[in-house]
Amino acid sequence: MKTSTHSDGSPCPEGTQCLHEGELICCDLFRQHTLACYYDIRYEYWPGLSGWFIIIAPEAGGGGIEIKYCPHCGTKL
């Protein structure tokens, strides 16, 4: 797993993914956002909640906003 940090020393998730095992990604833009930092727009699959989420940076309170459809191609997630 990639271990990188932001300039302030906080962990950066860029280059890592949180996916459901065997998950098929609907489009390349969605895939790119599963690898992004949460300071960009990052999508993660949370198995405990069985859903996809747009991640909110920890410094902004953390958590996520659940999404049911791909914001790029409209495919049901």
Side-chain angles (χ1 to χ4, degrees), residues 4-59:
S4 61
T5 58
H6 296 112
S7 59
D8 67 356
S10 63
C12 179
E14 185 175 23
T16 65
Q17 290 178 309
C18 293
L19 304 175
H20 186 272
E21 187 175 326
E23 184 72 37
L24 296 175
I25 302 297
C26 55
C27 67
D28 190 53
L29 279 173
F30 192 87
R31 183 193 62 75
Q32 290 174 29
H33 285 283
T34 66
L35 293 163
C37 177
Y38 40 65
Y39 287 118
D40 297 319
I41 296 177
R42 178 179 173 87
Y43 309 140
E44 290 184 359
Y45 184 84
W46 291 355
L49 299 174
S50 297
W52 282 98
F53 292 81
I54 298 171
I55 305 308
I56 300 169
E59 294 79 6

